[in-house]
Amino acid sequence: MDYLAELNDPQREAVIHTEGPMMIIAGAGSGKTRVLTYRIAHLIKSKQIDPFQILALTFTNKAAAEMRTRIEGVIGAEARNIWMGTFHSVFARILRSEAHYLGYPSNFTIYDTDDSKSLIRTIVKELNLDDKLYKANVVYSRISNAKNRLVSYQEYNSKPMYMSDDMEHRRPKLGEIYKLYCERCFKAGAMDFDDLLFNTNVLFRDHLEVLNKYQHRFKYVMVDEFQDTNASQYLITKNLSGVHQNICVVGDDAQSIYAFRGADIQNILNFEKDYPNLKVVKLEQNYRSTKNIVHAANCIIGYNTSQLKKNVWTSNDEGTPIELIKSASDNEEGKLVATSIFEEKAQHKLHNSDFAILYRTNSQSRAMEEALRKLNIKYKIVGGQSFYQRKEIKDLLAYMRFTVNHNDEESLKRIINLPKRGIGATTVNKLIVAANEQQLPLWEVLQQAQAIVPARAAGAIAGFVTMIQRFAVDVQNMNAFDAATSIAKGSGLLRELYADRTVEGLNRYENVQELLNAVQEFVEDDEEVVGGQEPKDKQLGTFLQEITLLTGQDQDKDEDNDKVTLMTIHMAKGLEFKVVYIVGLEEDLFPSQMMLSSRADLEEERRLFYVAITRAEEKLYLSYALSRYRFGSLKYCEPSRFIDEIDPKFIKVSSKFGGVSTQPHTTVTSNYATNLVRSTQNNKQVTKPASTHTPSPNFAPSDTSLLETGMKVEHPKFGFGKVVNIDNSGTSKKATVVFENVGEKTLLLSFAKLQIHA
């Protein structure tokens, strides 16, 4: 197979340049997966590099599996020997081998988000803190952000800036919670997801012999989706490539949309500062989308100031113009989108799976779902509750996890009275207090419960201890499936679910059976582990690690795939569809109201819109509503500023959407959107409006009850203007403002966001 012949010139350059640091800037649809795949194949096939010396890091198991399959197609079974996987899975494996350096057992438990939040709630309760102020989500996010920035609890509690910030938010005990959380995890022999990266950095920092070992093992380090890395991930990859300097990062700053998860766009923007001799290759040819879609995307991203300049182009057909859907309400928006899908399917013989509806927030799916159901169009929502998050599944997994690791207190607390066996909350709390006072694992205290709790409870606990000990023997002597089946039956969970003959009970029973099927598949799968150095471990502990590291997309096993896909834009990253609908393009919704306080936030929203546009292959629809129910109230809406940022020659308003019903309202409607409708009807060219306004760095809406005629104001979209009239008649107060760039606008003051300037 002549894989180099399949590549264009920049792609080939990226593949054959193997020595030294390199950054591949890969525009949307430019074939970056192919380049990364062939580059690895080239190292092995042409450069005779041992696959064991190559480390390739991805952000999803799905991406890793796809790349491994492609590489295997070029070089054969040797592809199985590459160290390839997600950051978390690869470094979990390294930590399994090196955990003793950090004082952890090699079979440490990996806490998922729910486990972590449960532990936080326990600590908050023990400290007698207000759980409404110290919400588990908020505390967990704060701890996670600290770890991603490599801030330990010791540093956190010694820096006035963190303490001051917590005081300002009325959570002065947050540092203490962080400390107790880390101590409890360590005591339980557990790491959360962030610890897998945080502790890898600690391992490499404090044990240079370990770092040196892996620096020499991995002669070539490659990172996919580099724009999504956080500080912790970047430091690991930088350290690992410190000896050979053969680091290759692939990414697109224009698709950096995960700042809320800790991703730092500066990693890719400033990569050259760490590597002055950096080789940069730009993949600018888009193979996915039509010219109209590519040009529209370029228009959008051109408004961002923080970016690596590139000129994305395509040799694909011109394609149809982007269609703009204007509707009176969110419900009507749903109907118009569903009707459009119905008509597109009929006219162009498309399948449901060719369509995607993308939105900014999950709550927008309701109107879309109702409209699709009425037209009997099958759909699926990506990002709903995953299989492994269902209660009955987490219950059985907790049994398995505690059997494997008796120090896992969160799992123990979940299962000790499940099914009910007479061990109530009061008894459990006594045992926890005793464990804390004696500085012992809760499991050890359970084995001396007769000295702590009444005889009846002590008897029930003794039975539980004996059962777990029996399960532990099974885990040692059986494969994962046989051990899991023994636990499911012996615990009483399977029997209790089977006894519930309701529809819900049967579903839960079938879900547990499906989990056991997954364990069976794991046992029967003969593929070697990442790195390929030993046969795949069939033990239950290994299965538990693999499923804990799964992503939401990896868990989708729906057999009927011919469905319209509904998802948030964040979930759509990396996907593509023939026809895409981006709905809810309204100010305060997209861009989000929460992302208008700084230029950096607004530019991230614009990158999110860029990602949405570039999911479309053949046809793109943009949709907005003039009114929408939000938080229980009907809100009048302004079209998103992002619509204005697309050159009007790439957009049209179809006649089937031009005559939508509207209702009287006093809201600002974008001049551009209004003129666009007229221009379509009159076949006249529309002049692109002046550049939209970016709010001042200190922009914050003022109290509009203080507004007076003659005042100078700033609007987040329309810029600076002067108030020329205030109308107090009717039920709503309105102001007429003459803006410097867009002229006169009448605004509902209960809705508009204005900052008063002196």
Side-chain angles (χ1 to χ4, degrees):
M1 175 184 179
D2 186 6
Y3 52 89
L4 292 179
E6 299 180 19
L7 306 173
N8 62 34
D9 290 343
Q11 289 175 333
R12 191 177 303 108
E13 183 181 12
V15 167
I16 64 177
H17 183 90
T18 57
E19 306 307 305
M22 180 165 72
M23 178 165 64
I24 303 171
I25 303 172
S30 62
K32 75 173 180 64
T33 303
R34 169 179 287 189
V35 168
L36 199 50
T37 297
Y38 286 176
R39 189 172 193 272
I40 295 171
H42 185 72
L43 283 169
I44 298 169
K45 193 171 183 178
S46 298
K47 297 290 183 177
Q48 302 299 305
I49 303 300
D50 188 337
F52 291 106
Q53 296 180 324
I54 299 173
L55 172 64
L57 297 167
T58 65
F59 272 81
T60 67
N61 293 304
K62 183 178 179 182
E66 180 185 348
M67 284 176 56
R68 189 185 298 279
T69 300
R70 289 198 193 185
I71 296 169
E72 194 167 348
V74 179
I75 66 170
E78 277 291 290
R80 299 179 183 179
N81 297 327
I82 303 163
W83 280 67
M84 180 182 293
T86 65
F87 276 88
H88 293 92
S89 64
V90 168
F91 296 117
R93 185 185 172 202
I94 289 176
L95 287 170
R96 291 279 181 211
S97 299
E98 317 294 348
H100 59 280
Y101 284 99
L102 302 177
Y104 281 88
S106 61
N107 65 336
F108 60 83
T109 295
I110 301 174
Y111 279 177
D112 66 13
T113 304
D114 285 349
D115 297 320
S116 297
K117 291 178 182 177
S118 175
L119 177 55
I120 288 169
R121 280 189 285 268
T122 298
I123 293 170
V124 168
K125 185 176 181 180
E126 289 175 3
L127 293 176
N128 294 315
L129 299 174
D130 184 351
D131 59 5
K132 292 183 176 60
L133 196 57
Y134 290 91
K135 291 181 178 178
N137 285 343
V138 174
V139 176
Y140 174 77
S141 177
R142 183 73 166 173
I143 292 173
S144 177
N145 287 337
K147 288 182 181 179
N148 285 331
R149 296 195 308 272
L150 299 175
V151 177
S152 66
Y153 74 81
Q154 293 94 336
E155 182 182 354
Y156 190 98
N157 283 298
S158 65
K159 291 288 181 68
M161 60 179 288
Y162 298 121
M163 299 166 68
S164 174
D165 192 52
D166 289 340
M167 288 288 291
E168 185 180 334
H169 291 89
R170 298 186 298 126
R171 299 189 190 96
K173 295 289 186 180
L174 223 153
E176 185 177 352
I177 297 172
Y178 185 11
K179 176 177 181 290
L180 289 171
Y181 173 79
C182 292
E183 290 175 345
R184 294 286 178 83
C185 285
F186 184 77
K187 177 183 168 186
M191 297 187 197
D192 62 22
F193 280 131
D194 298 313
D195 284 330
L196 296 176
L197 302 179
F198 182 90
N199 285 337
T200 299
N201 275 297
V202 172
L203 178 69
F204 290 164
R205 181 196 68 196
D206 296 346
H207 302 278
L208 295 181
E209 70 276 22
V210 179
L211 173 60
N212 187 258
K213 169 184 170 182
Y214 288 100
Q215 283 178 330
H216 284 85
R217 174 173 292 181
F218 303 130
K219 289 188 177 179
Y220 294 87
V221 177
M222 275 163 271
V223 185
D224 192 16
E225 302 287 4
F226 186 66
Q227 76 280 349
D228 295 334
T229 54
N230 58 35
S232 182
Q233 291 163 328
Y234 180 42
L235 186 58
I236 290 173
T237 53
K238 183 181 178 184
N239 282 332
L240 281 175
S241 57
V243 170
H244 299 288
Q245 293 282 300
N246 294 324
I247 181 171
C248 172
V249 301
V250 185
D252 181 8
D253 59 293
Q255 297 185 64
S256 178
I257 59 173
Y258 293 120
F260 67 96
R261 293 182 187 170
D264 187 354
I265 192 175
Q266 297 304 318
N267 287 348
I268 192 168
L269 294 180
N270 297 328
F271 190 65
E272 193 166 3
K273 292 182 180 178
D274 282 340
Y275 298 94
N277 60 331
L278 181 70
K279 169 76 171 177
V280 178
V281 177
K282 296 181 180 181
L283 306 182
E284 297 173 306
Q285 183 175 358
N286 181 300
Y287 291 93
R288 176 187 300 156
S289 307
T290 64
K291 283 187 172 70
N292 271 317
I293 293 170
V294 169
H295 292 327
N298 286 342
C299 288
I300 290 296
I301 206 63
Y303 280 84
N304 274 9
T305 56
S306 298
Q307 61 173 301
L308 298 170
K309 291 295 184 181
K310 58 184 175 298
N311 179 36
V312 179
W313 60 278
T314 184
S315 60
N316 291 340
D317 293 339
E318 201 76 29
T320 58
I322 296 166
E323 294 200 35
L324 185 66
I325 301 176
K326 171 185 175 183
S327 49
S329 66
D330 49 349
N331 282 336
E332 184 175 62
E333 181 183 46
K335 293 174 186 175
L336 290 174
V337 169
T339 301
S340 174
I341 291 174
F342 188 88
E343 293 176 353
E344 287 279 1
K345 283 177 60 182
Q347 292 173 9
H348 303 291
K349 297 181 180 179
L350 297 172
H351 301 287
N352 288 329
S353 56
D354 293 326
F355 296 86
I357 301 174
L358 308 182
Y359 35 75
R360 182 64 178 83
T361 64
N362 275 307
S363 61
Q364 292 170 251
S365 72
R366 179 196 59 80
M368 299 296 149
E369 289 185 71
E370 290 180 2
L372 291 170
R373 279 199 297 266
K374 287 176 182 176
L375 291 181
N376 200 27
I377 299 174
K378 290 185 177 181
Y379 66 90
K380 63 179 177 182
I381 297 179
V382 176
Q385 187 185 41
S386 80
F387 177 81
Y388 288 101
Q389 294 302 317
R390 293 169 182 163
K391 180 184 181 302
E392 62 275 14
I393 300 302
K394 290 188 74 70
D395 290 343
L396 181 51
L397 288 175
Y399 264 103
M400 296 179 188
R401 288 165 57 171
F402 185 69
T403 300
V404 171
N405 176 10
H406 294 340
N407 290 329
D408 184 356
E409 288 190 10
E410 290 307 300
S411 291
L412 173 55
K413 287 186 289 185
R414 185 180 187 103
I415 66 175
I416 194 168
N417 199 38
L418 185 75
K420 293 188 184 301
R421 53 176 59 92
I423 308 173
T426 302
T427 299
V428 174
N429 287 336
K430 285 183 180 178
L431 295 167
I432 292 172
V433 169
N436 291 339
E437 288 176 350
Q438 299 176 45
Q439 290 293 299
L440 291 173
L442 188 54
W443 171 246
E444 289 188 27
V445 173
L446 255 62
Q447 296 174 70
Q448 53 188 10
Q450 68 277 3
I452 302 170
V453 299
R456 180 180 293 182
I461 292 169
F464 175 80
V465 169
T466 301
M467 178 183 68
I468 294 297
Q469 289 171 335
R470 186 175 71 251
F471 291 163
V473 172
D474 290 342
V475 166
Q476 291 297 319
N477 298 320
M478 297 177 176
N479 65 35
F481 174 74
D482 292 335
T485 302
S486 172
I487 293 170
K489 292 179 177 177
S491 65
L493 284 179
L494 210 55
R495 182 173 59 252
E496 182 177 74
L497 290 171
Y498 185 77
D500 183 358
R501 307 310 291 170
T502 64
V503 173
E504 293 78 12
L506 290 172
N507 285 336
R508 286 193 289 268
Y509 178 78
E510 290 170 359
N511 287 338
V512 169
Q513 291 293 348
E514 184 59 27
L515 175 59
L516 295 176
N517 290 341
V519 184
Q520 180 75 301
E521 290 174 8
F522 164 80
V523 170
E524 293 177 353
D525 183 4
D526 290 328
E527 182 180 339
E528 294 179 332
V529 294
V530 175
Q533 292 175 316
E534 64 274 335
K536 184 171 182 178
D537 183 356
K538 308 292 188 181
Q539 296 300 301
L540 188 59
T542 306
F543 170 78
L544 292 172
Q545 175 180 317
E546 287 197 5
I547 63 164
T548 304
L549 293 170
L550 283 176
T551 64
Q553 285 187 340
D554 296 326
Q555 297 161 11
D556 184 7
K557 289 191 174 183
D558 192 339
E559 293 181 2
D560 181 8
N561 289 319
D562 189 26
K563 296 179 180 179
V564 175
T565 301
L566 278 68
M567 67 179 111
T568 64
I569 302 166
H570 283 101
M571 292 295 297
K573 182 117 181 304
L575 303 178
E576 55 191 46
F577 302 88
K578 286 186 179 179
V579 186
V580 170
Y581 295 80
I582 306 173
V583 300
L585 273 168
E586 298 135 31
E587 287 292 301
D588 292 343
L589 183 55
F590 195 18
S592 166
Q593 181 180 349
M594 299 176 66
M595 300 293 281
L596 294 176
S597 59
S598 70
R599 180 180 296 276
D601 286 346
L602 180 59
E603 292 201 352
E604 171 126 343
E605 285 290 280
R606 189 175 285 114
R607 292 194 296 271
L608 189 61
F609 186 44
Y610 175 86
V611 167
I613 288 177
T614 54
R615 298 313 93 198
E617 297 174 352
E618 298 176 3
K619 198 158 188 178
L620 176 65
Y621 287 88
L622 307 179
S623 173
Y624 70 94
L626 298 175
S627 65
R628 184 178 299 273
Y629 274 95
R630 299 193 71 191
F631 309 109
S633 300
L634 182 66
K635 302 290 185 183
Y636 294 116
C637 310
E638 305 172 31
S640 170
R641 70 188 70 192
F642 294 152
I643 298 174
D644 289 354
E645 292 175 357
I646 300 175
D647 192 315
K649 68 184 178 184
F650 302 122
I651 299 183
K652 76 168 185 178
V653 178
S654 173
S655 58
K656 60 185 174 184
F657 303 125
V660 297
S661 60
T662 57
Q663 55 194 33
H665 58 275
T666 313
T667 108
V668 180
T669 301
S670 162
N671 276 349
Y672 173 52
T674 304
N675 290 338
L676 193 54
V677 176
R678 292 199 193 103
S679 73
T680 305
Q681 294 168 346
N682 299 332
N683 295 316
K684 292 181 180 178
Q685 178 67 36
V686 183
T687 303
K688 183 176 180 180
S691 174
T692 52
H693 177 69
T694 299
S696 303
N698 62 345
F699 179 86
S702 303
D703 179 0
T704 52
S705 66
L706 305 175
L707 201 63
E708 296 179 1
T709 302
M711 283 184 167
K712 185 180 180 181
V713 295
E714 181 183 3
H715 185 278
K717 176 183 176 184
F718 302 124
F720 294 98
K722 183 178 181 181
V723 180
V724 295
N725 184 53
I726 293 179
D727 183 1
N728 289 305
S729 62
T731 57
S732 300
K733 186 176 181 180
K734 297 181 282 289
T736 302
V737 182
V738 176
F739 290 98
E740 296 170 1
N741 294 327
V742 296
E744 185 176 294
K745 300 286 181 184
T746 300
L747 310 174
L748 268 177
L749 294 184
S750 61
F751 177 70
K753 292 173 177 57
L754 296 173
Q755 182 177 39
I756 299 173
H757 288 257

